Amino acid sequence: MADSEDNVTIPLLNSLLQMDPYLKPFEKDFQRRYGLFEKQLALLEEAEGGFDQFTRSYNSYGVQRMPDNSLVFKEWAPAAEALFLTGDFNDWNNFSHPYTKKEFGKWELHMPPKEDKTPAVTHNSKMKVVVHTRAGERLYRISPWAKYVTQHEKSVIYDWVHWDPPQPYIHKHPRPQKPRSLRIYESHVGIASPEGKVASYSNFTHNVLPRIKDLGYNCIQLMAIMEHAYYASFGYQVTSFFAASSRYGTPEELKELIDVAHSLGIVVLLDVVHSHASKNTEDGLNRFDGSDSCFFHSGPRGVHSLWDSRLFNYSSWEVLRFLLSNLRWWMEEYRFDGFRFDGVTSMLYHHHGIGTGFSGDYAEYFGLQVDEESLVYLMLANHILHTLNQDCITIAEEVSGMPTICRPIQEGGLGFDYRLAMAIPDKWIQIIKEFKDEDWNMGNIVHTMTNRRYGEKCIAYAESHDQALVGDKTLAFWLMDKDMYTNMSALIPMNSVIDRGIQLHKMIRLLTHGLGGEGYLNFMGNEFGHPEWLDFPRIGNNESYHYARRQFNLVDMEHLRYKQLYAFDRDMNRTEDKYGWLAAPPAYISAKHEGDKVIVFERANVIFIFNFHPTTSYNNYRVAVGPAGKYKIKLDSDEIQYGGHGRLDHNTDFFSEPLGFNDRPNSMMVYIPCRTAIVLANEEIDYCY
């Protein structure tokens, strides 16, 4: 093996090793990974004429209508003894339509059109694959390639529905350009309404998209789209990988949602779950052909002990076909602009991150604990997605901190565009839970915000759906708790709890936005301090929808303070849109003063000043400045419209002096009220972002 590794040339490995010389001892690992990746690409070329044909397999598997309206059904079921098709079309006869066995575990069935030349199976009719096993069982299965599955009200099991509408949705709008600064609105269609029910794609299109546009987000990350039988799994126990969840509406309505988002200049990402699959057999992938393996590893390696789910065998040719085609299907059929890959840490290691605290020692990221089959799968996925669509955006949900996840494959990296900065929300919760305001450690906060691998882009967030789930609490709830039910009226003076909560909510978000990454994410509703957690209908809450909804109506009530938080979030995004700090190099931090509780930094030629002190305001506070000139306030968390106290005069000009301070050539004097954050821009610079 060593000899073949030595022959592997990673085109740009040297630039990676120059950027991080500590990776040098692991050069062999990079060569082996890259060698495996190259080998897999070569095999695809040899066996299937390249990845282009291979990833279009959704055009040949499952059910396909031919130009003459005949139908071709194709499945991969290597352990099956026989396959039949049953459904409405043959009055659920189990034996009238047998598949023919082909090589490599494939099965095919050709069905000519009816006498009137229409297809033998009509749009919206139900079907099942009947699998006969070698053990003599007869199993009823949904095709893994099913494009639409529905659940009858009284039934537990999903039905495979033939989706071939007479008037398919035609996209009208081109994809928007890839944003330089990514501002992501993490969304769940089903809870996107104040009503106690599963909301629809159409509701999202007509009622939520305009809000997202108004708020200044340029990207939506849609969760729970891939069909999942259990609503409360939040979409993370996928049963049908090619089917858009029918509980929110039809595939055509999802296409319209994405098309309308594109018309607003918003890109749309799919939260894709390729790290594991639901254990369901009758409406999932598990035991599709009656065997323990098929799509998964057999035995203990094929089961995730914590998630109680099945783990894919990424070394299997047909699993690669299924998963890589799945990515292309969502990108081409629905026109998603990219993917947030869920559970990447679980994929990368044989231990799945269970019971492992990552210390940051590089040895933890290489060697036998790394699952190189999964790693090569992720390299292939990124290579193929970015080759098919150079503007495709991929984000890794990854907690271990493995180096090179967001470096190009040509350097030996995994090829993701961004990773989630998962330590930031944990830090905010920890600080709020464990420390009094006067004991907040400015250096520690700044360290958490800026502690990311050089040259690997991060998506920063103060909180995501994880923090909103029942059992945890949102930042607004940690800060204000039960007072949110009684004291959010703007018609009465703020009590001390609400005052503190509103000011810190804004400051935490702006600090995360300005300092924490190269992209920013917010979970729907949290921008206005959504008053309650998230809990899906389940037996434990009597199947209640009370907490499985987002109360956007609260923002529309003039007398409530939620609209003040909403307005700040909107203006924070719009200010970023103008100055582009997310796309700028990391910030220069000139002050993190423990006694004063002040943080000052400069990014994209914009000055950010935070005074976290609960009671002390500073009159003539000297702050360091790079470029000389006249500065003006562009965003001020203390404005009345944001629930602040209006202590700053926005007509004030701040002139820099050529007085060096904190390693910057210039400085200026500012007034910063307690619990206030301000953003200043230089009037003499042309910000052509």
Side-chain angles (χ1 to χ4, degrees):
M1 182 72 188
D3 293 343
S4 61
E5 276 168 37
D6 291 337
N7 298 334
V8 172
T9 306
I10 307 175
L12 302 174
L13 181 64
N14 281 342
S15 58
L16 175 71
L17 298 180
Q18 279 173 336
M19 186 186 285
D20 186 354
Y22 289 103
L23 291 172
K24 184 87 176 113
F26 306 102
E27 202 168 340
K28 281 270 187 287
D29 294 83
F30 284 113
Q31 285 176 331
R32 187 175 60 255
R33 293 172 180 185
Y34 191 80
L36 292 167
F37 161 74
E38 276 194 320
K39 183 179 169 190
Q40 198 67 59
L41 273 185
L43 286 172
L44 284 176
E45 196 68 51
E46 200 179 299
E48 308 259 348
F51 69 73
D52 187 34
Q53 278 308 108
F54 188 66
T55 56
R56 291 179 198 266
S57 292
Y58 51 78
N59 289 330
S60 50
Y61 283 72
V63 53
Q64 307 296 332
R65 179 160 57 86
M66 296 295 130
D68 67 349
N69 276 344
S70 63
L71 297 172
V72 179
F73 294 82
K74 184 173 180 179
E75 300 297 347
W76 174 64
E81 191 68 28
L83 248 62
F84 296 88
L85 188 70
T86 185
D88 295 337
F89 70 94
N90 67 358
D91 296 324
W92 297 93
N93 183 317
N94 280 335
F95 299 104
S96 62
H97 287 76
Y99 284 73
T100 306
K101 189 170 189 177
K102 303 287 187 186
E103 55 182 356
F104 307 120
K106 315 278 174 65
W107 300 82
E108 274 186 27
L109 163 62
H110 290 253
M111 212 184 284
K114 293 194 280 202
E115 279 178 20
D116 63 3
K117 298 286 184 279
T118 60
V121 181
T122 54
H123 171 58
N124 253 335
S125 57
K126 293 177 182 173
M127 300 180 289
K128 279 272 198 287
V129 178
V130 187
V131 178
H132 288 251
T133 71
R134 287 166 194 164
E137 300 168 284
R138 184 190 297 166
L139 308 173
Y140 294 90
R141 296 287 187 253
I142 289 176
S143 167
W145 301 80
K147 311 291 193 289
Y148 191 54
V149 296
T150 61
Q151 189 179 32
H152 192 268
E153 279 171 32
K154 298 192 173 56
S155 166
V156 177
I157 304 298
Y158 272 73
D159 293 306
W160 174 20
V161 175
H162 181 50
W163 191 257
D164 187 14
Q167 269 94 37
Y169 185 84
I170 294 163
H171 293 272
K172 301 172 189 66
H173 304 282
R175 294 180 191 269
Q177 274 191 300
K178 181 179 179 175
R180 281 181 59 190
S181 292
L182 209 53
R183 300 184 298 272
I184 304 171
Y185 199 74
E186 185 185 31
S187 306
H188 185 293
V189 170
I191 62 171
S193 125
E195 296 173 71
K197 64 175 189 184
V198 179
S200 66
Y201 294 124
S202 295
N203 164 71
F204 198 93
T205 303
H206 299 112
N207 299 324
V208 186
L209 285 180
R211 289 187 191 270
I212 297 172
K213 176 69 175 168
D214 178 58
L215 277 164
Y217 291 93
N218 55 21
C219 177
I220 299 166
Q221 183 177 301
L222 284 181
M223 314 176 63
I225 294 295
M226 300 165 81
E227 190 61 270
H228 47 294
Y230 185 42
Y231 190 41
S233 78
F234 224 139
Y236 291 122
Q237 294 271 351
V238 176
T239 43
S240 287
F241 283 74
F242 284 82
S245 181
S246 59
R247 45 170 72 79
Y248 322 125
T250 67
E252 310 313 294
E253 286 162 340
L254 173 57
K255 289 174 188 176
E256 183 188 22
L257 185 164
I258 293 168
D259 200 25
V260 173
H262 285 169
S263 77
L264 298 171
I266 297 171
V267 296
V268 189
L269 308 181
L270 176 70
D271 197 341
V272 74
V273 187
H274 279 184
S275 45
H276 64 131
S278 165
K279 261 191 171 170
N280 287 18
T281 53
E282 287 186 61
D283 51 12
L285 286 182
N286 193 18
R287 298 191 71 241
F288 172 67
D289 64 355
S291 74
D292 175 43
S293 51
C294 201
F295 288 93
F296 309 108
H297 287 292
S298 57
R301 193 179 170 192
V303 179
H304 194 295
S305 58
L306 278 187
W307 295 343
D308 192 33
S309 54
R310 296 300 317 263
L311 295 171
F312 287 106
N313 176 3
Y314 302 103
S315 67
S316 156
W317 191 262
E318 292 304 318
V319 172
L320 286 180
R321 181 194 305 281
F322 182 77
L323 293 176
L324 293 171
S325 297
N326 188 236
L327 294 171
R328 184 163 188 177
W329 162 256
W330 291 109
M331 187 165 72
E332 303 216 334
E333 181 72 15
Y334 287 94
R335 315 230 12 225
F336 277 97
D337 302 289
F339 301 91
R340 177 255 197 204
F341 282 74
D342 179 67
V344 169
T345 307
S346 170
M347 295 172 75
L348 290 177
Y349 303 97
H350 290 296
H351 53 61
H352 308 300
I354 299 169
T356 309
F358 290 94
S359 66
D361 182 331
Y362 277 19
E364 296 168 339
Y365 306 124
F366 301 94
L368 294 177
Q369 65 266 39
V370 175
D371 185 338
E372 293 192 337
E373 292 168 3
S374 313
L375 193 134
V376 170
Y377 167 68
L378 292 169
M379 290 171 79
L380 283 170
N382 276 310
H383 171 71
I384 290 168
L385 287 170
H386 289 100
T387 306
L388 292 171
N389 171 9
Q390 60 181 20
D391 282 347
C392 182
I393 298 163
T394 58
I395 301 172
E397 188 224 16
E398 209 287 309
V399 291
S400 78
M402 179 184 274
T404 76
I405 280 179
C406 300
R407 293 306 302 173
I409 291 165
Q410 301 311 98
E411 288 182 7
L414 266 66
F416 282 97
D417 296 293
Y418 299 89
R419 72 196 320 153
L420 291 174
M422 300 181 76
I424 294 176
D426 295 345
K427 175 56 66 178
W428 285 125
I429 299 288
Q430 183 215 352
I431 290 170
I432 290 169
K433 272 169 72 171
E434 297 176 13
F435 295 97
K436 293 193 198 128
D437 293 9
E438 54 271 28
D439 296 334
W440 285 23
N441 184 314
M442 299 295 110
N444 184 249
I445 292 171
V446 167
H447 174 73
T448 303
M449 293 288 149
T450 54
N451 182 24
R452 53 189 185 269
R453 289 191 57 78
Y454 178 75
E456 298 198 37
K457 292 181 183 173
C458 280
I459 303 289
Y461 56 105
E463 51 187 344
S464 69
H465 70 271
D466 286 326
Q467 286 72 35
L469 285 171
V470 68
D472 205 337
K473 288 195 323 201
T474 61
L475 285 173
F477 232 34
W478 278 116
L479 289 163
M480 298 179 276
D481 217 300
K482 60 183 187 300
D483 281 73
M484 295 186 79
Y485 295 120
T486 50
N487 289 301
M488 282 300 269
S489 169
L491 305 175
I492 56 171
M494 282 190 283
N495 67 15
S496 60
V497 173
I498 296 293
D499 188 3
R500 169 182 178 267
I502 281 184
Q503 310 322 330
L504 288 178
H505 196 267
K506 294 176 292 189
M507 293 179 74
I508 285 169
R509 276 173 157 60
L510 180 60
L511 186 60
T512 305
H513 205 302
L515 197 55
E518 289 70 34
Y520 176 77
L521 177 141
N522 162 61
F523 178 64
M524 62 187 309
N526 287 3
E527 71 279 358
F528 63 82
H530 199 281
E532 282 163 338
W533 55 89
L534 194 57
D535 190 13
F536 287 88
R538 55 191 172 87
I539 294 166
N541 64 14
N542 295 323
E543 303 295 337
S544 166
Y545 282 90
H546 183 73
Y547 296 112
R549 61 198 178 104
R550 296 271 99 178
Q551 298 175 56
F552 290 115
N553 52 309
L554 296 174
V555 177
D556 302 331
M557 295 184 187
E558 283 300 313
H559 69 285
L560 294 182
R561 295 195 180 275
Y562 296 103
K563 73 179 182 60
Q564 298 171 339
L565 292 174
Y566 177 98
F568 181 77
D569 198 78
R570 176 195 67 209
D571 292 352
M572 172 172 74
N573 281 324
R574 289 180 180 180
T575 310
E576 195 289 326
D577 194 53
K578 187 172 178 185
Y579 298 104
W581 59 72
L582 287 168
Y588 181 88
I589 297 134
S590 60
K592 36 187 180 183
H593 198 293
E594 298 304 342
D596 295 348
K597 298 290 170 233
V598 169
I599 294 171
V600 182
F601 62 89
E602 197 174 314
R603 192 171 180 192
N605 289 320
V606 173
I607 311 288
F608 292 77
I609 305 169
F610 294 80
N611 177 6
F612 279 100
H613 203 290
T615 53
T616 307
S617 301
Y618 302 106
N619 256 327
N620 278 319
Y621 201 85
R622 187 169 292 281
V623 297
V625 179
K630 178 176 80 170
Y631 285 78
K632 294 279 271 193
I633 295 173
K634 299 298 174 185
L635 186 65
D636 163 18
S637 71
D638 197 48
E639 275 200 76
I640 301 283
Q641 60 166 324
Y642 308 142
H645 302 285
R647 291 167 289 184
L648 285 156
D649 179 1
H650 285 221
N651 293 318
T652 308
D653 294 332
F654 298 90
F655 291 95
S656 69
E657 307 170 63
L659 187 62
F661 186 64
N662 286 352
D663 294 327
R664 300 307 267 163
N666 301 291
S667 58
M668 61 190 176
M669 306 296 266
V670 294
Y671 167 52
I672 29 172
C674 59
R675 281 202 189 118
T676 296
I678 49 177
V679 174
L680 300 162
N682 191 328
E683 295 280 281
E684 292 164 29
I685 290 179
D686 180 16
Y687 290 94
C688 48
Y689 164 57

